Amino acid sequence: MSGKKVYILSGAGLSAESGIKTFRDSDGLWENYSIEEVCSTGGWIRDRQKVTYFYDARRADLESKEPNYAHIRLAELKKKYPENIFMLTQNVDNMLEKAGCTDVVHLHGTLTDLRCEECFQVFSIGYLPQSDAVCPKCNSSMIRHNVVMFGENAPAYENLRKLYNEAQMVVVIGTSGNVIDTAYISQIIDNSILNNLDVDENHDQYFSKKLYLPATEAIDEIFAHVEEFLR
Ligand SMILES: [Zn+2]
């Protein structure tokens, strides 16, 4: 097996076909909440209860969702080439894991976990509401959702530095480059595949291959390209 490293970076477009919406679809409103209220540190400081209910509802929503064909194929790819494939996602859902994918790095956190504000322990809550959860490590009741908000650091971005340093191929699926600078990534890595629904000339120009299709329709071709590259 070659020592080549392929980084796969996914965003909302990967989970859209599983019926998972994000605030980016929604013009500043998400289920009648303003994004500022529920996705920023300012909103969290102003009204913890409101933000907690919001993430409780997102978590409950997730329970009925199923991975789509693209999640399933990505999980297969990771299983087949565990040493070569690095799976990074901006999504906070658990669709890749539910499809059987291991070692997924969630750059913006996870809906199905909570985090202790005292000792920073992250622990699973599944699809349950936060209610009066306490930290399993330090017993604190200062608990929050495990999703990165605007105005916060994202510690998992450390993995992007690894991507810059060691990826020989990058596959970008379903993200427009608004949050993570995927245009820059395509300029520094020779082999780059982009799969998005919409064309964005400025963003897309340096990708070596572009697939303007829903992720479920592009994934077989992506799978074949990655395999060919690894051979
Ligand atoms: Zn704790």
Side-chain angles (χ1 to χ4, degrees), residues 171-213:
V171 181
V172 173
I173 302 176
T175 175
S176 56
N178 283 332
V179 181
I180 289 166
D181 193 351
T182 42
Y184 172 67
I185 290 173
S186 72
Q187 289 172 58
I188 60 169
I189 297 166
D190 288 342
N191 297 284
S192 53
I193 301 176
L194 174 69
N195 167 217
N196 258 337
L197 265 186
D198 300 320
V199 179
D200 175 348
E201 296 288 356
N202 256 337
H203 169 267
D204 304 351
Q205 56 185 323
Y206 297 107
F207 281 89
S208 35
K209 177 142 203 78
K210 295 165 240 195
L211 299 166
Y212 298 112
L213 290 166

Side-chain angles (χ1 to χ4, degrees), residues 116 119 135 138:
C116 175
C119 76
C135 174
C138 77

Side-chain angles (χ1 to χ4, degrees), residues 116-121 135-140:
C116 175
E117 291 183 292
E118 301 282 347
C119 76
F120 309 110
Q121 176 79 9
C135 174
K137 192 174 171 197
C138 77
N139 237 20
S140 168

Side-chain angles (χ1 to χ4, degrees), residues 1 9 28 30 51 63 73 127-128 144 152 158 186-188 191 202 214 226 229:
M1 185 73 61
L9 173 61
W30 192 355
V51 175
E63 186 165 15
R73 292 290 276 160
Y127 304 105
L128 298 173
R144 56 162 282 181
E152 284 189 309
E158 176 64 27
S186 72
Q187 289 172 58
I188 60 169
N191 297 284
N202 256 337
V226 171
F229 177 74

Side-chain angles (χ1 to χ4, degrees), residues 85-136:
I85 301 289
F86 295 82
M87 202 66 76
L88 271 44
T89 186
Q90 295 172 254
N91 298 337
V92 296
D93 65 61
N94 60 347
M95 292 298 108
L96 280 166
E97 286 88 347
K98 221 171 166 180
C101 194
T102 53
D103 301 317
V104 181
V105 173
H106 286 271
L107 296 166
H108 295 154
T110 46
L111 266 178
T112 51
D113 294 309
L114 297 175
R115 181 157 92 234
C116 175
E117 291 183 292
E118 301 282 347
C119 76
F120 309 110
Q121 176 79 9
V122 173
F123 56 98
S124 175
I125 183 83
Y127 304 105
L128 298 173
Q130 179 175 323
S131 56
D132 44 10
V134 293
C135 174

